[in-house]
Amino acid sequence: MRARNAKDISTAVKFAAKHNIPVVIKNTGHDFLGRASRRNALLIWTHFMRDISFENQHGGWKPAGCHGHKYQENELLVKAWAGVMVFELVKEVAKKGRTVVAGSASTVGVVGGFIQGGGHGPLAVWKGLASDHVLEYEVVLANVGSSAYIDQYSGRGILIDVG
């Protein structure tokens, strides 16, 4: 199933739950262990969710669960959807005169396997792991099939499990 947004994924997860079908998530397919495929499963392909946007260009952005701290104007934040690959993110961030903690394999999906695997990259010694820089995830919860924003203020345990 070719997902284009969280609603598509939510619909697919609900369908799979209703019909007791296992679900497999695939972004770019870079998985040495073959977890991006499975027989008799519903494959949700996130590769076409490729939007990149910049948040906080005028200050005041805050995570969904935050009721206090807002980010300052000079703190440029990037929002990348599930299908964005390393080379795409690096290119867009460079247009803003910035860099990003990313991996060296340019066709790996940034948000999925790279960050969720810890985010080891060339800048890790200097800037830490990519997963340390995640402020918020929009996730589809498998048990209910609805989307939710997970950040350090709401669902901290889930944020640690995801990133």
Side-chain angles (χ1 to χ4, degrees):
M1 176 264 167
R2 183 184 289 190
R4 299 232 179 242
N5 53 47
K7 184 178 178 192
D8 288 351
I9 295 172
S10 178
T11 300
V13 168
K14 288 176 185 176
F15 175 85
K18 180 179 178 182
H19 298 284
N20 199 28
I21 300 170
V23 173
V24 175
I25 306 294
K26 177 181 178 179
N27 182 1
T28 62
H30 288 78
D31 189 335
F32 295 117
L33 301 177
R35 293 172 291 195
S37 63
R38 180 177 173 178
R39 293 182 93 153
N40 302 316
L42 175 64
L43 183 129
I44 299 174
W45 196 17
T46 63
H47 185 64
F48 295 93
M49 297 174 66
R50 306 281 274 280
D51 293 354
I52 299 172
S53 61
F54 293 92
E55 308 291 331
N56 202 51
Q57 296 185 67
H58 305 291
W61 182 88
K62 62 181 181 176
C66 176
H67 300 290
H69 175 75
K70 293 181 180 179
Y71 286 83
Q72 301 301 314
E73 190 169 342
N74 64 345
E75 296 178 281
L76 187 64
L77 309 173
V78 63
K79 179 179 181 179
W81 285 32
V84 174
M85 292 183 278
V86 168
F87 81 91
E88 295 167 323
L89 184 62
V90 169
K91 178 181 168 185
E92 291 303 310
V93 170
K95 289 178 184 177
K96 299 284 187 183
R98 307 285 176 91
T99 190
V100 64
V101 177
S104 56
S106 64
T107 59
V108 168
V110 175
V111 177
F114 173 68
I115 287 180
Q116 291 177 20
H120 299 269
L123 299 178
V125 173
W126 176 41
K127 291 291 187 179
L129 302 174
S131 59
D132 296 335
H133 297 275
V134 172
L135 299 176
E136 179 178 82
Y137 270 106
E138 180 182 8
V139 298
V140 174
L141 303 171
N143 60 340
V144 292
S146 62
S147 64
Y149 285 95
I150 307 301
D151 57 44
Q152 66 183 353
Y153 304 99
S154 61
R156 178 70 177 150
I158 296 173
L159 181 62
I160 291 169
D161 290 342
V162 171

